[in-house]
């Protein structure tokens, strides 16, 4: 069942993110960039963001002299960093498709879905429908997967050079199964609508502009919940200092504009906290991490930094727990930065036989696989938020606002079984779809 790809690393030499002062690109953007010695390579007109390339070392200075810019600087390559060892593929007879009624892999292996749904009791209250849609912004999706196709309502892709939303990495397909799988594996919302937005290369890399374009498109498509498996967008110190100038971090601003755009269009946003085992509450540690991660881009962070998604109002940030409900060894954490947790899997048993069953089993291009990460946890929270919206629609005839749905999920979050030595560093507790829907 293994699917082999040949990922190519993303190269961004002399490429810049530019954010204009208006929220939309000015009509003169192309002329401004050209006259400054550059060429536009990507644009998100609705939020005034573009990327441009130029061989001229004075390009940004020339552009600032010609246009009204909010921020401009070198692009940062953002990478999925999942703590997986493989991932481990199912082999032999397990890799073949089966009917939705079977759900045999759910019963055998999906401890994480059983934990969130109360052993499936939440499905007696709500399983979702296609009036409520989760927009998954990730590496794409296996559109022909038998566990996914019945809930997949559409795909779009935002990676230059890619021709479709085909998942050449696996992460997006894995998250999709945890959200709305309905076959041999089951998602938290097995009848929810799902739209997939590919914003990553085959090697799991992306740019802020690509993510922003996908978020804008998802909001325009009317999705109810945006699920972001990326937890590595940590460029959150307000200023950077390069060898040439001091300015706002343009990638950071582009991301925030996209978040604002989506929230204003009533899309709830759920994002992974990241898999760096980083205390997001420590400005010094986050700053050190940013310098190590983005130093090659030309950034030197000196002011106190914060993790982007955890610091943005309206975004639900998800940490990960192990099968025994303890904090996962890889998850980012920090009081005031994590809102809620979900089961993301762990490596509790080392090399002991069957260790991979402590990870999360879900769909994979061409079959099924185990993975661990805060992305896997975020998928379950996103599905739970979508189920509360579905429930509200069924009961009242209208969809609750995103803030209402996320508040309902947070209020229902159960306390972790294992008491944490630092209260609040993993938010309210563990996501509980059964409690969020009013069950017990």
């Amino acid at each position: 069942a293994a699917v082999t790809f040949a990922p190519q690393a993303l190269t961004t030499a002399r490429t810049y993110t530019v954010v204009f002062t208006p929220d939309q690109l000015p009509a003169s953007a192309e002329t401004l960039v050209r006259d400054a010695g550059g060429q536009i390579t990507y644009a998100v007109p609705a939020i005034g963001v573009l990327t441009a390339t130029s061989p001229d070392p004075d390009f940004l200075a020339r552009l600032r002299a010609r246009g009204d810019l909010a921020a401009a600087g070198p692009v940062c390559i953002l990478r999925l960093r999942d703590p997986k060892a493989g991932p481990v593929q199912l082999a032999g007879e397990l890799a073949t498709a089966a009917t939705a009624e079977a759900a045999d892999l759910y019963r055998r292996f999906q401890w994480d879905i059983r934990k969130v749904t109360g052993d499936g009791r939440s499905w007696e209250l709500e399983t979702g429908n296609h009036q409520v849609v989760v927009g998954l912004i990730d590496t794409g999706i296996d559109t022909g997967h038998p566990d996914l196709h019945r809930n997949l309502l559409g795909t779009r892709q935002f990676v230059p050079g890619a021709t479709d939303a085909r998942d050449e990495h696996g992460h997006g397909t894995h998250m999709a199964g945890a959200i709305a799988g309905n076959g041999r594996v089951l998602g938290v919302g097995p009848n929810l609508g799902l739209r997939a937005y590919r914003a990553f290369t085959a090697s799991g890399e992306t740019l802020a502009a690509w993510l922003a374009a996908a978020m804008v498109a998802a909001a325009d498509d009317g999705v109810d919940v945006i699920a972001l498996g990326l937890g590595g967008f940590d460029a959150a110190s307000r200023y950077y200092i390069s060898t040439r100038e001091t300015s706002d971090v343009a990638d950071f601003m582009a991301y925030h504009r996209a978040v604002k755009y989506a929230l204003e269009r009533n899309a709830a946003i759920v994002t992974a906290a990241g898999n760096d085992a980083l205390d997001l509450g420590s400005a010094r540690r986050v700053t050190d991490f940013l310098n190590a991660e983005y130093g090659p881009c030309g950034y030197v962070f000196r002011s106190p930094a914060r993790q982007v998604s955890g610091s943005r109002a309206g975004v639900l940030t998800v940490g990960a727990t192990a099968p025994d409900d303890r904090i996962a060894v890889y998850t980012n954490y920090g009081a005031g930065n994590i809102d809620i947790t979900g089961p993301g899997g762990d490596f509790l048993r080392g090399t002991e036989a069957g260790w991979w069953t402590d990870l999360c089993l879900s769909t994979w291009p061409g079959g099924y696989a185990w993975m661990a990460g805060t992305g896997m946890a975020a998928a379950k929270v996103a599905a739970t938020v979508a189920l509360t919206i579905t429930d509200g629609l069924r009961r009242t005839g209208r969809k609750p606002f995103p803030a209402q749905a996320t508040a309902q999920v947070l209020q229902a979050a159960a306390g972790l079984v294992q008491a944490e030595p630092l209260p609040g560093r993993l938010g309210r507790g563990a996501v509980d779809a059964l409690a969020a829907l009013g069950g017990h």
Side-chain angles (χ1 to χ4, degrees), residues 407-431:
Q408 187 173 334
V409 172
L410 287 174
Q411 185 175 3
L416 297 180
V417 174
Q418 180 83 8
E420 292 296 333
L422 298 176
R425 67 177 184 170
L426 284 181
R428 297 286 189 91
V431 64

Side-chain angles (χ1 to χ4, degrees), residues 132 388-401 404:
V132 176
T388 65
I389 295 173
T390 312
D391 179 64
L393 176 62
R394 177 179 53 80
R395 289 186 294 101
T396 68
R398 66 173 183 85
K399 295 178 180 178
F401 290 112
Q404 295 173 306

Side-chain angles (χ1 to χ4, degrees), residues 2-90:
V3 179
T4 303
F5 302 109
Q8 299 296 317
L10 179 64
T11 58
T12 56
R14 297 179 178 176
T15 303
Y16 306 92
T17 300
V18 180
V19 183
F20 286 85
T21 296
D23 282 348
Q24 294 185 337
L25 282 185
S28 59
E30 186 174 0
T31 300
L32 289 170
V33 171
R34 185 180 62 248
D35 289 350
Q39 180 181 0
I40 294 177
T41 56
Y42 204 90
V44 193
I47 58 173
V49 172
L50 61 78
T51 61
T53 184
S54 174
D56 187 347
D58 296 319
F59 168 69
L60 289 184
R62 296 179 189 276
L63 185 60
R64 286 194 178 95
R66 288 168 169 79
D68 191 5
L69 307 185
V75 299
C76 288
I77 298 176
L78 312 173
R79 298 178 176 88
L80 290 169
R81 292 186 294 272
D82 281 303
K84 60 181 183 294
V88 182
Q89 296 285 136
L90 284 169

Side-chain angles (χ1 to χ4, degrees), residues 188-422:
V188 172
N191 290 314
L192 285 169
L194 183 67
R195 296 184 67 91
Y197 300 81
R198 180 183 175 183
F200 289 81
T201 66
S203 55
E205 297 175 329
T206 189
L207 301 183
W210 303 357
L211 286 176
M215 293 177 71
V216 166
D220 287 344
D221 288 342
V223 304
D224 299 282
V225 182
I226 291 176
L228 286 164
L230 176 74
F233 199 112
D234 300 288
S237 178
R238 181 164 179 76
Y239 294 98
Y240 74 82
I241 300 176
S242 71
T243 57
R244 299 184 62 83
E245 57 196 302
T246 301
S247 177
D248 292 304
V249 180
D251 282 358
F252 174 64
M253 188 172 291
Y255 173 85
H256 272 261
R257 283 200 180 177
V259 167
K260 179 175 179 288
Y261 187 94
L263 291 174
E264 288 176 347
R265 284 153 182 80
N266 289 325
I269 302 174
V270 179
T271 183
N275 303 319
D276 312 298
L278 185 66
D279 181 0
L280 302 177
S282 169
R284 179 184 61 81
R285 291 182 181 179
V286 174
T287 302
D288 289 346
F289 174 82
L290 294 177
N291 281 316
E293 184 71 11
Y294 300 126
C297 298
Y299 291 95
V300 179
F301 293 89
R302 294 181 182 173
S303 60
R306 62 192 185 280
Q307 197 259 5
V308 169
S309 56
S311 64
R312 182 63 169 90
V315 178
L316 208 57
T317 306
V318 185
T321 53
D324 62 359
D325 296 321
R326 288 184 296 180
I327 180 172
V329 294
Y330 53 80
T331 186
N332 288 348
Y333 60 92
N337 289 274
I338 307 299
D339 298 301
I340 195 170
T341 67
D346 212 332
F347 304 88
L348 300 175
R349 292 188 283 163
T351 58
E352 180 183 331
W355 62 269
W356 53 85
T357 59
D358 291 336
L359 279 61
C360 300
L361 179 70
S362 187
T363 46
W364 185 258
Y368 308 86
W370 277 278
M371 293 180 73
T374 53
M376 285 67 251
K380 288 133 193 166
V381 174
T384 302
V385 173
L387 288 179
T388 65
I389 295 173
T390 312
D391 179 64
L393 176 62
R394 177 179 53 80
R395 289 186 294 101
T396 68
R398 66 173 183 85
K399 295 178 180 178
F401 290 112
Q404 295 173 306
T406 55
Q408 187 173 334
V409 172
L410 287 174
Q411 185 175 3
L416 297 180
V417 174
Q418 180 83 8
E420 292 296 333
L422 298 176

Side-chain angles (χ1 to χ4, degrees), residues 155-166:
T155 66
R156 297 176 70 174
Q157 82 83 21
F158 298 88
V159 178
T163 58
D164 54 37
R166 180 171 60 99

